[in-house]
Amino acid sequence: KMLASLRRHTLLDGRCSILKKASYILQRSYSGITAPSPRDLDSIMKLDELVPKSREEIMDIWKAYHEDPKSNRAAEIMNANEYDKFNERTFESKMFVLPLAKGNDTGSFMTLLLQAQMPYILITGLDDFRQFGPNAMPYVTLTVYPELRESKDLVLIRADNLNEKSITFQETQSIASTVKSLYVDDAKYAKFIQCFNHRPNEFNFDDLLKELGISPK
């Protein structure tokens, strides 16, 4: 049912093994890339300067630091409870196909393929994956920073746009918030990401499109 649904939207060619191979291929492909953002928050913002500040102040600083579209980066945040779910679920359900609405037409979208390799979420275009396989490069990477989880009930996320021709700044922000929502929300996670990874025959791509407000013609 999953593959039939995907084929209706011309997302996959006839090879039913493509998703089964995707995890191995993406792991091999991305293991050698240089991450666009450092793994440690202290390499971006000095932790000793953040400690005296309130949670709200840090959130404002993080968002302001990433609000310039020219930086090709966007910001997202989680609390400790959300992060605990996110961390556990990205380990047990590493892959997903994510439709991204394009333009003002609610029926236009492109489909992304993501894989979790915490602290990174690596995202490429499904069409690129079909064409280039292990040589498909990431469009967007999410980097998760849990250093302030205990002290501030705050986890910071940075989204790096590596493909400006395909992804806008606003879409980068949308990807970050959507990935967070789908992993953290219990109902959405069970219906979509967990189902995709562990019960693929039950996965319904049309339901996902509806959830994201996409109505293909």
Side-chain angles (χ1 to χ4, degrees), residues 35-48:
S37 289
R39 294 174 64 98
D40 302 320
L41 181 60
D42 196 50
S43 298
I44 302 174
M45 307 175 76
K46 296 302 180 183
L47 285 176
D48 57 355

Side-chain angles (χ1 to χ4, degrees), residues 22 26 95-97 111-115 122-124 126 129:
L26 286 177
M95 299 196 65
F96 196 56
V97 284
T111 303
L112 305 172
L113 181 65
L114 70 84
Q115 185 188 41
L122 307 166
I123 303 167
T124 191
L126 184 57
F129 177 78

Side-chain angles (χ1 to χ4, degrees), residues 20-148:
K20 295 180 181 179
K21 294 180 180 178
S23 180
Y24 165 75
I25 292 175
L26 286 177
Q27 178 74 34
R28 187 178 67 179
S29 175
Y30 291 160
S31 61
I33 70 168
T34 300
S37 289
R39 294 174 64 98
D40 302 320
L41 181 60
D42 196 50
S43 298
I44 302 174
M45 307 175 76
K46 296 302 180 183
L47 285 176
D48 57 355
E49 296 179 4
L50 294 178
V51 170
K53 300 185 182 298
S54 69
R55 183 179 190 274
E56 290 70 24
E57 287 176 318
I58 297 172
M59 290 168 57
D60 290 341
I61 292 171
W62 185 250
K63 291 177 180 179
Y65 188 72
H66 296 87
E67 66 183 6
D68 183 3
K70 295 180 181 179
S71 71
N72 296 321
R73 291 173 173 147
E76 186 57 74
I77 58 172
M78 292 187 283
N79 60 38
N81 180 60
E82 290 173 331
Y83 169 74
D84 291 344
K85 291 182 180 181
F86 191 88
N87 192 45
E88 178 182 352
R89 291 170 177 178
T90 51
F91 178 79
E92 71 176 19
S93 301
K94 295 181 180 295
M95 299 196 65
F96 196 56
V97 284
L98 180 68
L100 175 67
K102 299 293 291 183
N104 297 322
D105 185 350
T106 58
S108 299
F109 68 96
M110 69 182 299
T111 303
L112 305 172
L113 181 65
L114 70 84
Q115 185 188 41
Q117 296 181 21
M118 292 292 281
Y120 303 113
I121 306 292
L122 307 166
I123 303 167
T124 191
L126 184 57
D127 285 343
D128 276 19
F129 177 78
R130 291 172 57 193
Q131 183 175 358
F132 301 112
N135 296 317
M137 295 303 294
Y139 282 20
V140 174
T141 64
L142 308 184
T143 308
V144 182
Y145 298 100
E147 286 89 337
L148 299 172

